[in-house]
Amino acid sequence: MTQENPVIEIEELSKVYTVTEREAGLAAAFRSLVNRKTRDVRAVDKISFAVGEGEIVGFLGPNGAGKTTTLKMLAGLLHPTDGRAAVLGFRPWERNRDYLRRMTLVMGQRNQLVWDIPVIDTFELNRAVYRIPETDYRRTVDELTELLELAPLLRKPTRNLSLGERMKCEIAAALLHRPWVLFLDEPTIGLDVTMQRRIRQFLVEYNQRTGATVLLTSHYMADVEALCKRVIVIHHGKLLYDGELSGLADRFAPFKTVEVELQNGAGGRPLDEYGEVLVRSPGRVTLRVPKIETASVTGRILTDLEVADLTVQDPPIEDVIEQVFSQEATESEEG
Amino acid sequence: MTAFYSIYRGYFRTALVVQFQYRVAMIIWLLGGIIEPVMYLVVWRTVAQQQGGAVGGYAVNDFAVYFIAIMLVEHGTFSWIMWEYDFRIRMGQFSSQLLKPIHPIHSDIADNIGYKFLTLIIMAPTAALLAWLFNASWQPDARTLAIFVPVLVLAFLMRFFWEWSLAMLAFWTTRVDAINQAYFIVVLFFAGRLAPLELFPQFLQRVADILPFRWMLAFPVELLLGRLTPNELWLGIGAQLFWLVAGYLVMRVIYRAGIRRYAAFGA
Amino acid sequence: MYYIRLFATYVRLGALGELEYRANFWINLLQSILELCVALGGLAVVFSHTDNLGGWRPEEILAVLGVYFLVGGLIRVLIRPSMVKFMEDVRQGTLDFTLTKPADSQVLVSMQRVELWRLADVLIALPVLGTALVRLRVELGLAEALTFGATMLSGGLIIYSFWLMLSTCAFWFVKVENIQVIFQSMWQAGRWPISIYPAWLRAVLTFLVPVAFATTVPASALSGRITSSTLWGSLALAAALLIVSRWFWRVGIRFYSGASA
């Protein structure tokens, strides 16, 4: 996808880690003193994409796909081994102060709030660090307090908050300086469904109000479905897909599910001829049909059987994603 | 007995492998135990030199031997078990130990001894180096060495029981660190690490006799230096045995109470 | 100015955290008093057998001990907490938050935590120093006070730079919490004037682990022993180590972000 005015733009970005390998046992431990085995791991392999202003883009991939590494490069924490990147016109890893003041990073599994002191005091600290003018600070805190319902939490020490409450405060702390670009790494991890929904609503609202650009990773497809029109899928460090969320199914799941309700039941009739039977109960059957045959198969079903109802659906997005990665895994094993 | 043998063998093996991974940390931790005796060695050697070669029956060379021996015996008997338990209980790692069908002190002892043997690779050359740097000369007789072995083992065990009991306080309080620190300061003073106890005022020497600390450290060292009369030797071994049995009983009582508390409150 | 205000914020946060752990102050005070008693007891035992130690009179050694406790306390209030936090942050990956802040990372890391309750150590050092001064019969003029202040400052900066360099190693070896133990082990040797140590140990305590500059040197400024070459040497070393540690920090950051790997 090309963007008119990309906020984030990366080209052929790569990151290679060198890791040391060790075997078990004391003898191996002694050996590793002298002779260390090292191996190069391509965490990110020539990835290119661009994100336009105000977009919310979901960054998908299984564990170890290279999502966090990419995010860290964009947040200026890691130097790429190769390739180019520009965010708001800055090269992230130069860590220009003006850049750092305009972006933020939230990591769902890590805390920046100071453990022993009330949340509001960590906010004060960030105010000092980011040199936020008093009036702006008041306004932002009020706004975030309202949006995230933080009022009862601000005076409590971080350690007394539940996981979900803490995450809300983490996000607020990361947004005090009104960043233009948000990098969110698993912002809803470990939270219950209600809290996940809250945070999603907030992100949508925040994006609409401020026009900030958001790049987020998540394991929860619900997050992605609710937030992102566009997704970028990476696996083994390589870019697999970049486009509309709805297009993901077209591209990777060459099947549709056809649900048929029969008037008199199917009797003993085998239905395998129409497609792979996924679920079958008296009077109701779910079939998996190759996408290109959908039209002809439904036609045949309608003529052959006494149909009460028939629906054609894309498979659930989770299944698609799972299929993407399992396909990729077998391909890479074979290759 | 054979069951214990194989269990300990297993513990030793894992202890060695685990500790080998922390070899750098291990060497660093040894440093404190080397600097402190060297410091007091220097101080007392300087005093002895200024006083015409000897102070209170200790000549310049005796101080060198005394503090090198203190270093080795301290290394042989100390433990870090109090910090270990503080950590385990805070991190909730203690439960998994309770699941094993054997008293947790065994793996702790094996750990400790494994560590001592591994670090002997550094401590032995260090002692030799210090002896060379400070011109220490020492000729022990075979009988002293023969008695030293059980005395050292007694010192190790009694110290371990007491420190293990102290470690159990982590079940009751989160301020173990302060208690440990206080304990170490008291040990520093009364175990003979600042100075040979003979150089202390009479009153403090008597206090040191009553407390367990001198029997953990100063007593085996004085034995090595050949400064003990047979009477003092037997008295010392008696004191060690007394504190060993007392430590064992205290350990059992406090462990049971601790487990009860742990089971009641969790951690 | 920005950094001073930031530091003030951290001190305020430190004080807040304190109220949560008020008892720590008293426990720490008791512990420090106990430690001081043992140290004084040790001095008493030594000086019951001699009237000077390597040319140092008891009151001069007392001054060394006072400075040792004072500087040790300041290290535990100002330097160590931040360095320990930094090493934790490297291990847990939370350093990333610090690095995404628009401020100098070294300054931010170096002042991120202040443990005011450790001031107990500083407090108990003051009467010891006071007693030493009275016994020394020093008339503290402006020149002496300035010299003492300068040696304390340079000693503090030397210790800070040294500790920063040790901590910076965390970028390469993640498990370096233990590295602070190196300093603590060597630090205890500072309670005696370093001139009593043999040459090799003196060299270690001066150049390898620069304990001497933070203990013996300020104490000798108090008793008027200090030579001008020691004073200027101490200031020069402080400046040099500040520069070197800054450079090393930059190398560490570059390594951390994979720029040099």
Side-chain angles (χ1 to χ4, degrees):
Chain A
M1 275 194 172
T2 51
Q3 304 295 329
E4 288 291 306
N5 250 333
V7 169
I8 303 171
E9 194 172 22
I10 70 179
E11 260 178 84
E12 306 265 295
L13 201 66
S14 297
K15 180 73 191 174
V16 179
Y17 292 115
T18 309
V19 293
T20 49
E21 289 183 326
R22 258 204 55 192
E23 298 146 57
L26 193 57
F30 269 110
R31 235 179 294 131
S32 75
L33 277 183
V34 208
N35 184 10
R36 274 173 192 261
K37 277 186 198 160
T38 59
R39 189 165 55 94
D40 281 352
V41 178
R42 300 193 77 82
V44 175
D45 198 0
K46 292 189 179 162
I47 285 186
S48 307
F49 62 78
V51 179
E53 194 178 338
E55 264 194 285
I56 303 184
V57 176
F59 204 32
L60 309 180
N63 288 331
K67 292 170 301 189
T68 303
T69 305
T70 310
L71 234 47
K72 279 188 167 185
M73 286 193 278
L74 291 174
L77 293 167
L78 282 179
H79 254 257
T81 314
D82 209 359
R84 282 172 303 281
V87 184
L88 298 166
F90 293 97
R91 265 209 280 189
W93 46 90
E94 284 172 359
R95 275 210 287 280
N96 187 305
R97 304 265 161 88
D98 290 327
Y99 173 58
L100 298 181
R101 262 193 283 275
R102 290 187 179 90
M103 70 95 183
T104 200
L105 173 69
V106 174
M107 292 181 275
Q109 284 160 311
R110 295 175 191 165
N111 268 70
Q112 71 160 322
L113 299 173
V114 184
W115 195 243
D116 286 322
I117 60 173
V119 174
I120 190 75
D121 289 301
T122 307
F123 286 8
E124 284 285 340
L125 180 63
N126 274 8
R127 179 173 86 85
V129 172
Y130 284 98
R131 302 189 226 201
I132 307 168
E134 185 68 35
T135 46
D136 294 0
Y137 172 73
R138 290 274 151 251
R139 209 185 61 225
T140 313
V141 170
D142 288 348
E143 200 179 332
L144 291 171
T145 305
E146 182 214 315
L147 281 174
L148 284 165
E149 294 168 4
L150 298 179
L153 309 178
L154 292 178
R155 305 270 155 210
K156 287 190 190 171
T158 308
R159 62 162 189 273
N160 294 349
L161 300 180
S162 74
L163 192 61
E165 293 171 338
R166 206 157 77 210
M167 201 57 226
K168 288 202 295 187
C169 296
E170 283 284 335
I171 290 176
L175 296 178
L176 291 174
H177 58 291
R178 302 198 150 253
W180 301 357
V181 181
L182 278 60
F183 298 110
L184 309 175
D185 194 11
E186 307 277 356
T188 55
I189 197 159
L191 306 184
D192 63 43
V193 181
T194 328
M195 192 59 80
Q196 285 182 22
R197 199 177 300 137
R198 271 238 72 78
I199 286 181
R200 261 176 240 141
Q201 277 166 359
F202 166 77
L203 288 173
V204 170
E205 174 110 34
Y206 184 86
N207 169 261
Q208 281 165 356
R209 278 198 194 190
T210 62
T213 308
V214 181
L215 185 58
L216 98 158
T217 73
S218 180
H219 273 110
Y220 302 111
M221 285 316 298
D223 280 354
V224 178
E225 281 177 294
L227 291 172
C228 318
K229 274 209 216 66
R230 176 180 165 203
V231 294
I232 292 172
V233 181
I234 66 169
H235 191 34
H236 294 307
K238 290 203 171 74
L239 192 120
L240 286 189
Y241 177 81
D242 177 0
E244 302 252 314
L245 180 62
S246 51
L248 198 60
D250 296 335
R251 170 85 177 276
F252 289 101
F255 296 97
K256 297 223 177 221
T257 48
V258 177
E259 217 176 284
V260 190
E261 212 170 300
L262 300 167
Q263 254 162 14
N264 310 328
R269 240 180 124 153
L271 295 165
D272 301 36
E273 55 180 296
Y274 303 107
E276 188 187 338
V277 177
L278 295 178
V279 186
R280 182 167 184 172
S281 58
R284 203 184 178 84
V285 68
T286 309
L287 300 165
R288 186 153 84 162
V289 182
K291 203 183 289 168
I292 38 168
E293 295 170 24
T294 321
S296 62
V297 168
T298 45
R300 270 165 53 214
I301 293 176
L302 287 170
T303 47
D304 294 358
L305 308 166
E306 285 181 53
V307 174
D309 190 20
L310 182 145
T311 46
V312 179
Q313 280 176 326
D314 276 328
I317 194 78
E318 258 110 350
D319 294 1
V320 178
I321 293 281
E322 197 181 316
Q323 195 151 3
V324 174
F325 298 142
S326 64
Q327 270 174 19
E328 179 62 20
T330 45
E331 274 167 31
S332 65
E333 271 162 37
E334 284 158 12
Chain B
M1 222 35 222
T2 48
F4 269 118
Y5 171 73
S6 67
I7 286 169
Y8 265 79
R9 229 178 58 134
Y11 277 143
F12 276 136
R13 228 192 93 75
T14 30
L16 285 180
V17 174
V18 168
Q19 275 151 11
F20 191 79
Q21 291 200 27
Y22 298 105
R23 53 195 175 265
V24 178
M26 217 170 61
I27 294 172
I28 289 172
W29 276 98
L30 291 178
L31 202 59
I34 295 170
I35 294 298
E36 188 202 283
V38 168
M39 179 170 91
Y40 289 107
L41 193 172
V42 169
V43 168
W44 284 106
R45 202 178 64 138
T46 311
V47 174
Q49 280 163 349
Q50 284 173 355
Q51 300 300 315
V55 170
Y58 277 80
V60 172
N61 180 59
D62 293 334
F63 280 119
V65 177
Y66 179 87
F67 283 106
I68 293 171
I70 281 278
M71 178 184 86
L72 290 174
V73 174
E74 165 71 13
H75 180 69
T77 57
F78 90 103
S79 78
W80 61 92
I81 197 71
M82 293 102 102
W83 280 282
E84 186 79 30
Y85 268 88
D86 183 32
F87 179 80
R88 281 183 203 164
I89 290 171
R90 263 191 302 122
M91 296 293 157
Q93 289 178 359
F94 184 67
S95 304
S96 69
Q97 275 194 307
L98 282 183
L99 297 178
K100 298 198 178 105
I102 180 169
H103 197 292
I105 199 170
H106 293 297
S107 80
D108 294 334
I109 291 180
D111 251 13
N112 199 303
I113 295 176
Y115 168 83
K116 300 292 174 55
F117 273 101
L118 206 59
T119 44
L120 215 54
I121 302 171
I122 292 159
M123 291 312 273
T126 304
L129 181 71
L130 289 177
W132 176 71
L133 283 170
F134 290 102
N135 284 319
S137 80
W138 175 59
Q139 279 112 5
D141 53 86
R143 188 175 149 275
T144 306
L145 286 178
I147 302 173
F148 176 72
V149 174
V151 164
L152 183 68
V153 171
L154 278 177
F156 168 76
L157 282 178
M158 68 172 271
R159 189 168 177 182
F160 203 84
F161 283 148
W162 281 102
E163 293 185 355
W164 206 81
S165 307
L166 208 54
M168 292 296 115
L169 293 182
F171 285 118
W172 285 271
T173 169
T174 51
R175 300 192 190 283
V176 190
D177 204 47
I179 299 169
N180 295 346
Q181 216 64 44
Y183 167 79
F184 272 90
I185 294 167
V186 173
V187 170
L188 177 69
F189 197 74
F190 286 108
R193 272 158 61 184
L194 285 177
L197 290 170
E198 280 176 58
L199 301 180
F200 277 40
Q202 281 297 321
F203 158 72
L204 285 177
Q205 286 192 43
R206 293 295 81 78
V207 176
D209 287 344
I210 299 166
L211 296 170
F213 312 115
R214 85 170 288 174
W215 312 111
M216 297 171 177
L217 201 57
F219 172 65
V221 171
E222 286 160 10
L223 168 68
L224 273 187
L225 261 67
R227 300 185 78 88
L228 297 176
T229 62
N231 267 342
E232 286 171 330
L233 178 65
W234 293 120
L235 196 72
I237 293 178
Q240 282 190 318
L241 286 171
F242 168 77
W243 286 110
L244 177 74
V245 173
Y248 176 74
L249 294 175
V250 167
M251 184 272 280
R252 286 189 57 132
V253 170
I254 201 167
Y255 177 64
R256 282 206 194 141
I259 292 299
R260 258 204 308 278
R261 192 180 155 85
Y262 189 74
F265 292 92
Chain C
M1 206 35 223
Y2 163 59
Y3 288 111
I4 293 171
R5 279 184 43 202
L6 203 52
F7 181 67
T9 310
Y10 278 113
V11 172
R12 212 173 57 76
L13 292 190
L16 268 171
E18 225 95 318
L19 299 177
E20 303 280 323
Y21 292 108
R22 212 163 337 178
N24 276 354
F25 175 82
W26 297 108
I27 289 176
N28 193 51
L29 184 66
L30 285 178
Q31 198 176 298
S32 302
I33 289 173
L34 184 63
E35 199 184 333
L36 183 67
C37 287
V38 166
L40 292 175
L43 279 194
V45 173
V46 168
F47 285 109
S48 70
H49 294 279
T50 183
D51 55 3
N52 79 82
L53 186 67
W56 292 68
R57 287 172 289 141
E59 52 271 26
E60 286 181 293
I61 303 258
L62 196 64
V64 175
L65 192 69
V67 173
Y68 171 80
F69 270 89
L70 178 66
V71 177
L74 289 173
I75 290 173
R76 284 190 285 267
V77 172
L78 294 171
I79 300 178
R80 192 178 68 177
S82 287
M83 294 296 147
V84 169
K85 171 84 163 52
F86 160 70
M87 289 186 273
E88 275 170 24
D89 280 346
V90 172
R91 206 187 32 188
Q92 296 174 353
T94 36
L95 181 72
D96 292 352
F97 288 120
T98 311
L99 295 183
T100 53
K101 297 283 188 293
D104 186 276
S105 57
Q106 183 194 332
V107 179
L108 215 54
V109 156
S110 303
M111 61 189 196
Q112 59 184 333
R113 196 187 272 171
V114 182
E115 281 182 6
L116 288 177
W117 52 274
R118 298 263 183 206
L119 277 175
D121 298 16
V122 178
L123 290 181
I124 62 158
L126 296 178
V128 178
L129 263 183
T131 313
L133 281 179
V134 172
R135 294 240 187 123
L136 279 166
R137 296 206 181 77
V138 184
E139 282 172 31
L140 211 56
L142 188 63
E144 288 83 2
L146 277 179
T147 317
F148 179 67
T151 50
M152 282 288 284
L153 181 69
S154 61
L157 289 176
I158 288 168
I159 297 293
Y160 160 71
S161 309
F162 177 75
W163 208 320
L164 180 68
M165 285 192 280
L166 281 188
S167 312
T168 305
C169 295
F171 287 125
W172 287 272
F173 317 101
V174 175
K175 283 184 221 141
V176 288
E177 302 93 277
N178 286 316
I179 242 174
Q180 52 165 321
V181 175
I182 294 186
F183 178 81
Q184 275 155 2
S185 309
M186 300 306 287
W187 174 249
Q188 56 176 327
R191 63 172 71 211
W192 303 97
I194 67 146
S195 64
I196 69 163
Y197 295 116
W200 57 271
L201 192 51
R202 224 158 44 220
V204 168
L205 293 173
T206 311
F207 300 111
L208 217 55
V209 185
V211 169
F213 291 97
T215 54
T216 309
V217 172
S220 54
L222 274 187
S223 61
R225 269 176 179 264
I226 194 168
T227 60
S228 65
S229 63
T230 311
L231 174 61
W232 292 111
S234 175
L235 288 168
L237 185 71
L241 276 183
L242 268 184
I243 294 167
V244 172
S245 61
R246 173 94 186 148
W247 167 81
F248 191 53
W249 173 262
R250 289 244 173 102
V251 173
I253 288 281
R254 279 173 58 84
F255 175 80
Y256 183 73
S257 64
S260 58

